[in-house]
Amino acid sequence: MYTADALLQIGLPCWFATQLQVHGGSIAEAAYACEWYNESIAFQKSVGLIMMRAQRPVVLTLGPFGTVSLELFAAVVQSAYSYLTLLRQVYAGK
């Protein structure tokens, strides 16, 4: 039960961060798809600024560990499992 809880606490933020990256990439497309050319000059400039800002990817970073994503979650789980099997082998050898 503890393992499932730990995986859930680590996995959910990684999943939401990945969803943020995926949906953040479609902001520029959505801004361009609106009928901005029929609007006022101020609105057209705002859409241009939105599109320029949307060129940079939306990511969450976690200090020196990198970008929070499902790839990071998979790497953490893989490393934890490797350490666990190593410890089990060391203690089984005694």
Side-chain angles (χ1 to χ4, degrees):
M1 189 69 170
Y2 175 76
T3 305
D5 184 48
L7 288 175
L8 192 65
Q9 285 183 4
I10 296 171
L12 275 179
C14 292
W15 185 81
F16 283 117
T18 301
Q19 291 299 311
L20 181 66
Q21 289 176 354
V22 169
H23 293 299
S26 62
I27 292 174
E29 294 173 15
Y32 185 75
C34 76
E35 294 186 12
W36 55 270
Y37 42 84
N38 293 331
E39 300 295 330
S40 67
I41 298 297
F43 183 82
Q44 291 177 5
K45 288 180 181 180
S46 296
V47 169
L49 289 173
I50 290 169
M51 290 173 57
M52 284 174 36
R53 169 56 184 99
Q55 298 302 314
R56 289 184 286 160
V58 179
V59 294
L60 295 176
T61 56
L62 187 62
F65 301 109
T67 302
V68 178
S69 64
L70 288 176
E71 289 83 16
L72 178 67
F73 175 66
V76 167
V77 170
Q78 183 179 7
S79 296
Y81 182 72
S82 296
Y83 293 139
L84 176 68
T85 55
L86 178 66
L87 287 173
R88 288 182 69 188
Q89 287 178 356
V90 167
Y91 284 117
K94 288 186 175 184

